[in-house]
Amino acid sequence: MRARSLLAGAALVAACTARRAEQAAADSALTAPVTPPRDTAAAAPDTTERWFSSVLGGFDLRIPVAWGQRFSASERSEPDEYPRAAAVVDVVFLAESGGVPPALVTVVRYPKAAWAAVSGPAGAAGTGVVAETATDVFVATVPTANPYPKGSPDAEAFGGMQLTLEQVKARFRAH
């Protein structure tokens, strides 16, 4: 039952994200300049820094330029799959091949007392504390393997978007 609701939630996230992308494309088409730049080959890539701000998670994450529009995020308070956590935020990869989107990074916010009760001596590979405040501990999990077939377009895109825990720490700002 839980797996079915997670799959339904993932499908809803993917559908909403696709709809938002279609609307953004339509909106940009309406506001695009009538004449293209003179030298489009020399145009610089978009290096504008963007931030994802999580209200429930209580943090900001600087989004890598390489992620472009190939990700989506969801946040939940008091998630069943993380006992004693205050919130969880999943940032997922949007694959061209569809399917259940794999996480690029998952951040779980624990009140300090709850973290002390649930943390063990060693975490799973790809999981670690990325920040602490006076009241909360932020634990991130990043994928340690690429879930797509080697050489596929999604494998190449996903591989270029993977972050290490150290990179998440450098891009992370707790509220």
Side-chain angles (χ1 to χ4, degrees), residues 9-149:
L12 180 60
V13 168
C16 289
T17 303
R19 176 66 185 125
R20 275 186 261 150
E22 289 171 5
Q23 185 61 47
D27 290 347
S28 66
L30 294 175
T31 59
V34 176
T35 56
R38 286 185 295 193
D39 185 10
T40 55
D46 182 12
T47 58
T48 305
E49 184 174 84
R50 298 180 299 153
W51 288 83
F52 165 73
S53 185
S54 172
V55 175
L56 292 177
F59 69 88
D60 298 323
L61 181 67
R62 188 167 38 94
I63 302 300
V65 173
W67 285 13
Q69 299 298 315
R70 299 281 308 262
F71 74 97
S72 181
S74 66
E75 45 189 345
R76 303 177 308 282
S77 62
E78 300 178 4
D80 293 337
E81 67 272 32
Y82 297 97
R84 301 185 184 196
V88 64
V89 177
D90 290 307
V91 181
V92 299
F93 172 73
L94 300 176
E96 291 178 0
S97 60
V100 176
L104 288 164
V105 62
T106 298
V107 178
V108 184
R109 179 174 59 90
Y110 288 96
K112 277 200 170 180
W115 175 245
V118 299
S119 66
T127 299
V129 174
V130 292
E132 291 188 45
T133 66
T135 57
D136 294 307
V137 176
F138 298 85
V139 179
T141 300
V142 295
T144 57
N146 192 321
Y148 296 98

